Amino acid sequence: MTLTPLDTAAAPFFAPHAKQAPARRAWIVAGAGLAGLLFLSLPFAGLFLSTPWQTLHLQQGDLGSLWVSVSYSLIAVAIVVMFATPVAWWLARHDFRGKWLMEMLVLLPLLTPPLAMGLLLSMSYGPYSWIGQPLDRLGLNLTNTPSAFLLAQVYGSAPYFIVAARSAFEGVPRELEQISLTLGQSPWRTFWRITVPLSGLGLAAGVALAWVRALGEFGIVLIVAYYPQGIPVKLWVNLQDTGLPAVYPLLWLFFLIGLPLPLLLGALSRRGQGGA
């Protein structure tokens, strides 16, 4: 574009404003981001400030619910990893007709409200349902039993692991897998020696996400397996029976046990991607 004498004369006047505009926008964005982070952290600051530290003590049955949640969550995550890893790899590595339907089936439990998901499980696996009746004759009752508790945790956590694991597999360059196959390695050895190590951090993040989802699942568990009582249901019982002061110890235990692993893996994942 050709500059006119008027443009040349006006340039010194507008130049400082042109330089200040990006800096002003950067400050506005930073301020909005900081306000958003403060907004997200307010409930946790409120928990710390409102906890009655001097009189803090566990309620009867709190340690039992802690044991139930931790032990069954470990089993549930192991089940999720075993059956959901092939699903994630299949979706990441294969294109086929009707793939959108498979993806929708993975997302459906994720998009369904937990309480509604619990009702769906009760309709399918309850003692008088079409699946529940034959299972009950085989001695497997999926209502208010440890098996029902595991079922609820698996349904609550599996979609999160599949989504994370699929992203991790998609991040592995296919060329490396092709080179391994070309060199005579079997698909199974290629998967374990190339795909899994290169996607390990993302897979670990998926495991951590599944862990915290299984540990904190409330809506599905409330409908399908009120007993045995894990941490979320016990928190609800303490709140109903005794009031807000009774939930603080178990709430802190939940955060201390459930969150360090996901937070650590999240930080490592960001560093692995070149973040700060």
Side-chain angles (χ1 to χ4, degrees), residues 92-230:
R93 282 292 181 258
H94 290 82
D95 293 319
F96 51 88
R97 182 176 296 178
K99 184 178 179 180
W100 63 271
L101 181 60
M102 302 296 107
E103 294 171 337
M104 190 180 69
L105 290 176
V106 171
L107 292 178
L108 269 179
L110 195 66
L111 300 175
T112 304
L115 207 59
M117 195 65 215
L119 292 172
L120 295 181
L121 291 186
S122 183
M123 294 171 190
S124 299
Y125 294 99
Y128 305 107
S129 64
W130 61 285
I131 300 178
Q133 284 185 343
L135 289 177
D136 192 50
R137 284 195 288 271
L138 295 173
L140 184 59
N141 188 340
L142 292 177
T143 301
N144 289 329
T145 61
S147 300
F149 192 85
L150 274 177
L151 181 74
Q153 288 185 309
V154 168
Y155 267 96
S157 58
Y160 292 90
F161 175 79
I162 292 175
V163 171
R166 178 184 175 178
S167 298
F169 288 143
E170 288 176 338
V172 177
R174 293 195 179 193
E175 294 78 8
L176 297 179
E177 295 174 332
Q178 292 297 329
I179 291 172
S180 175
L181 294 171
T182 304
L183 293 175
Q185 299 293 329
S186 67
W188 182 250
R189 285 177 63 85
T190 298
F191 177 76
W192 281 109
R193 302 189 67 173
I194 302 295
T195 308
V196 170
L198 292 178
S199 59
L201 204 52
L203 292 176
V207 170
L209 196 57
W211 156 257
V212 77
R213 289 302 309 167
L215 192 69
E217 183 54 53
F218 174 70
I220 304 176
V221 168
L222 186 67
I223 300 296
V224 177
Y226 191 83
Y227 295 103
Q229 287 184 349

Side-chain angles (χ1 to χ4, degrees), residues 1 39 41 43 48 53 94 118-119 193 201 215 243 255 270 276:
M1 183 178 67
F39 176 75
S41 61
F48 182 82
W53 297 105
H94 290 82
L119 292 172
R193 302 189 67 173
L201 204 52
L215 192 69
F255 286 127
R270 293 298 303 165

